[in-house]
mmCIF file of all heavy atoms in Angstrom:
data_model
loop_
_atom_site.group_PDB
_atom_site.id
_atom_site.type_symbol
_atom_site.label_atom_id
_atom_site.label_comp_id
_atom_site.label_asym_id
_atom_site.label_seq_id
_atom_site.Cartn_x
_atom_site.Cartn_y
_atom_site.Cartn_z
ATOM 1 N N VAL A 131 312.080 105.210 104.949
ATOM 2 C CA VAL A 131 312.467 104.991 103.551
ATOM 3 C C VAL A 131 311.511 103.993 102.903
ATOM 4 O O VAL A 131 311.033 104.204 101.783
ATOM 5 C CB VAL A 131 313.922 104.480 103.471
ATOM 6 C CG1 VAL A 131 314.273 104.101 102.053
ATOM 7 C CG2 VAL A 131 314.883 105.530 103.989
ATOM 8 N N MET A 132 311.195 102.903 103.633
ATOM 9 C CA MET A 132 310.226 101.938 103.122
ATOM 10 C C MET A 132 308.881 102.615 102.872
ATOM 11 O O MET A 132 308.170 102.305 101.909
ATOM 12 C CB MET A 132 310.044 100.783 104.121
ATOM 13 C CG MET A 132 311.241 99.876 104.258
ATOM 14 S SD MET A 132 311.532 98.898 102.785
ATOM 15 C CE MET A 132 310.201 97.716 102.918
ATOM 16 N N GLY A 133 308.519 103.536 103.763
ATOM 17 C CA GLY A 133 307.274 104.272 103.594
ATOM 18 C C GLY A 133 307.281 105.112 102.325
ATOM 19 O O GLY A 133 306.289 105.147 101.592
ATOM 20 N N THR A 134 308.414 105.761 102.023
ATOM 21 C CA THR A 134 308.449 106.624 100.835
ATOM 22 C C THR A 134 308.289 105.805 99.557
ATOM 23 O O THR A 134 307.548 106.216 98.666
ATOM 24 C CB THR A 134 309.757 107.429 100.739
ATOM 25 O OG1 THR A 134 310.859 106.529 100.772
ATOM 26 C CG2 THR A 134 309.890 108.442 101.839
ATOM 27 N N ILE A 135 308.929 104.657 99.482
ATOM 28 C CA ILE A 135 308.859 103.914 98.214
ATOM 29 C C ILE A 135 307.446 103.359 98.007
ATOM 30 O O ILE A 135 306.887 103.449 96.919
ATOM 31 C CB ILE A 135 309.939 102.807 98.128
ATOM 32 C CG1 ILE A 135 309.886 102.092 96.788
ATOM 33 C CG2 ILE A 135 309.835 101.783 99.228
ATOM 34 C CD1 ILE A 135 310.330 102.889 95.633
ATOM 35 N N PHE A 136 306.836 102.838 99.075
ATOM 36 C CA PHE A 136 305.473 102.329 98.926
ATOM 37 C C PHE A 136 304.499 103.471 98.632
ATOM 38 O O PHE A 136 303.581 103.320 97.824
ATOM 39 C CB PHE A 136 305.033 101.568 100.192
ATOM 40 C CG PHE A 136 305.395 100.116 100.158
ATOM 41 C CD1 PHE A 136 306.684 99.689 100.415
ATOM 42 C CD2 PHE A 136 304.444 99.148 99.860
ATOM 43 C CE1 PHE A 136 307.030 98.353 100.383
ATOM 44 C CE2 PHE A 136 304.780 97.800 99.813
ATOM 45 C CZ PHE A 136 306.074 97.408 100.081
ATOM 46 N N ALA A 137 304.704 104.609 99.288
ATOM 47 C CA ALA A 137 303.808 105.748 99.056
ATOM 48 C C ALA A 137 303.959 106.251 97.632
ATOM 49 O O ALA A 137 302.974 106.582 96.964
ATOM 50 C CB ALA A 137 304.112 106.850 100.059
ATOM 51 N N GLY A 138 305.213 106.301 97.151
ATOM 52 C CA GLY A 138 305.434 106.745 95.778
ATOM 53 C C GLY A 138 304.775 105.821 94.771
ATOM 54 O O GLY A 138 304.207 106.256 93.775
ATOM 55 N N TRP A 139 304.828 104.535 95.072
ATOM 56 C CA TRP A 139 304.250 103.515 94.195
ATOM 57 C C TRP A 139 302.720 103.607 94.184
ATOM 58 O O TRP A 139 302.086 103.771 93.137
ATOM 59 C CB TRP A 139 304.756 102.143 94.688
ATOM 60 C CG TRP A 139 304.162 100.948 94.019
ATOM 61 C CD1 TRP A 139 303.612 100.898 92.764
ATOM 62 C CD2 TRP A 139 304.083 99.621 94.554
ATOM 63 N NE1 TRP A 139 303.193 99.610 92.500
ATOM 64 C CE2 TRP A 139 303.464 98.805 93.578
ATOM 65 C CE3 TRP A 139 304.476 99.047 95.765
ATOM 66 C CZ2 TRP A 139 303.216 97.454 93.788
ATOM 67 C CZ3 TRP A 139 304.251 97.701 95.961
ATOM 68 C CH2 TRP A 139 303.624 96.905 94.981
ATOM 69 N N TRP A 140 302.121 103.518 95.362
ATOM 70 C CA TRP A 140 300.654 103.515 95.429
ATOM 71 C C TRP A 140 300.072 104.868 95.063
ATOM 72 O O TRP A 140 298.970 104.943 94.502
ATOM 73 C CB TRP A 140 300.170 103.066 96.829
ATOM 74 C CG TRP A 140 300.443 101.612 97.080
ATOM 75 C CD1 TRP A 140 301.294 100.809 96.385
ATOM 76 C CD2 TRP A 140 299.858 100.772 98.077
ATOM 77 N NE1 TRP A 140 301.289 99.542 96.898
ATOM 78 C CE2 TRP A 140 300.419 99.476 97.944
ATOM 79 C CE3 TRP A 140 298.919 100.995 99.094
ATOM 80 C CZ2 TRP A 140 300.072 98.417 98.779
ATOM 81 C CZ3 TRP A 140 298.578 99.934 99.938
ATOM 82 C CH2 TRP A 140 299.143 98.653 99.763
ATOM 83 N N GLY A 141 300.815 105.937 95.380
ATOM 84 C CA GLY A 141 300.337 107.265 95.020
ATOM 85 C C GLY A 141 300.284 107.435 93.511
ATOM 86 O O GLY A 141 299.372 108.057 92.957
ATOM 87 N N MET A 148 295.794 106.558 98.837
ATOM 88 C CA MET A 148 296.437 105.250 98.833
ATOM 89 C C MET A 148 297.937 105.393 99.080
ATOM 90 O O MET A 148 298.581 104.485 99.601
ATOM 91 C CB MET A 148 296.176 104.529 97.509
ATOM 92 C CG MET A 148 294.763 104.009 97.367
ATOM 93 S SD MET A 148 294.288 102.915 98.727
ATOM 94 C CE MET A 148 295.116 101.420 98.209
ATOM 95 N N ALA A 149 298.500 106.548 98.718
ATOM 96 C CA ALA A 149 299.916 106.789 99.022
ATOM 97 C C ALA A 149 300.120 106.765 100.536
ATOM 98 O O ALA A 149 301.070 106.158 101.045
ATOM 99 C CB ALA A 149 300.353 108.140 98.454
ATOM 100 N N GLY A 152 299.843 103.277 101.583
ATOM 101 C CA GLY A 152 301.037 102.550 101.153
ATOM 102 C C GLY A 152 302.213 102.814 102.077
ATOM 103 O O GLY A 152 302.941 101.888 102.445
ATOM 104 N N GLY A 153 302.392 104.084 102.458
ATOM 105 C CA GLY A 153 303.473 104.416 103.385
ATOM 106 C C GLY A 153 303.329 103.642 104.683
ATOM 107 O O GLY A 153 304.306 103.096 105.220
ATOM 108 N N VAL A 155 301.770 100.815 105.124
ATOM 109 C CA VAL A 155 302.057 99.382 104.878
ATOM 110 C C VAL A 155 303.571 99.144 104.817
ATOM 111 O O VAL A 155 304.105 98.255 105.484
ATOM 112 C CB VAL A 155 301.374 98.923 103.569
ATOM 113 C CG1 VAL A 155 301.879 97.551 103.149
ATOM 114 C CG2 VAL A 155 299.862 98.887 103.751
ATOM 115 N N GLY A 156 304.266 99.977 104.023
ATOM 116 C CA GLY A 156 305.710 99.805 103.884
ATOM 117 C C GLY A 156 306.424 99.912 105.220
ATOM 118 O O GLY A 156 307.282 99.079 105.544
ATOM 119 N N GLY A 157 306.061 100.915 106.008
ATOM 120 C CA GLY A 157 306.695 101.091 107.308
ATOM 121 C C GLY A 157 306.399 99.938 108.247
ATOM 122 O O GLY A 157 307.269 99.480 108.994
ATOM 123 N N ILE A 159 305.816 96.854 107.460
ATOM 124 C CA ILE A 159 306.653 95.708 107.094
ATOM 125 C C ILE A 159 308.029 95.848 107.745
ATOM 126 O O ILE A 159 308.535 94.921 108.386
ATOM 127 C CB ILE A 159 306.793 95.605 105.554
ATOM 128 C CG1 ILE A 159 305.445 95.274 104.927
ATOM 129 C CG2 ILE A 159 307.833 94.556 105.171
ATOM 130 C CD1 ILE A 159 305.431 95.353 103.404
ATOM 131 N N MET A 193 313.174 98.294 94.312
ATOM 132 C CA MET A 193 311.757 98.442 93.938
ATOM 133 C C MET A 193 311.579 99.581 92.933
ATOM 134 O O MET A 193 310.814 99.453 91.968
ATOM 135 C CB MET A 193 310.903 98.704 95.177
ATOM 136 C CG MET A 193 310.703 97.461 96.031
ATOM 137 S SD MET A 193 309.759 97.809 97.531
ATOM 138 C CE MET A 193 308.172 98.241 96.851
ATOM 139 N N TYR A 336 307.829 110.181 94.835
ATOM 140 C CA TYR A 336 308.938 109.549 95.548
ATOM 141 C C TYR A 336 310.242 110.042 94.972
ATOM 142 O O TYR A 336 310.382 110.169 93.752
ATOM 143 C CB TYR A 336 308.847 108.026 95.396
ATOM 144 C CG TYR A 336 310.154 107.288 95.644
ATOM 145 C CD1 TYR A 336 310.540 106.967 96.942
ATOM 146 C CD2 TYR A 336 310.999 106.937 94.596
ATOM 147 C CE1 TYR A 336 311.744 106.299 97.176
ATOM 148 C CE2 TYR A 336 312.193 106.275 94.820
ATOM 149 C CZ TYR A 336 312.560 105.962 96.112
ATOM 150 O OH TYR A 336 313.740 105.317 96.336
#
Side-chain angles (χ1 to χ4, degrees):
Chain A
V131 173
M132 291 291 286
T134 55
I135 182 70
F136 272 78
W139 174 24
W140 291 16
M148 287 304 282
V155 168
I159 294 172
M193 286 177 66
Y336 159 84

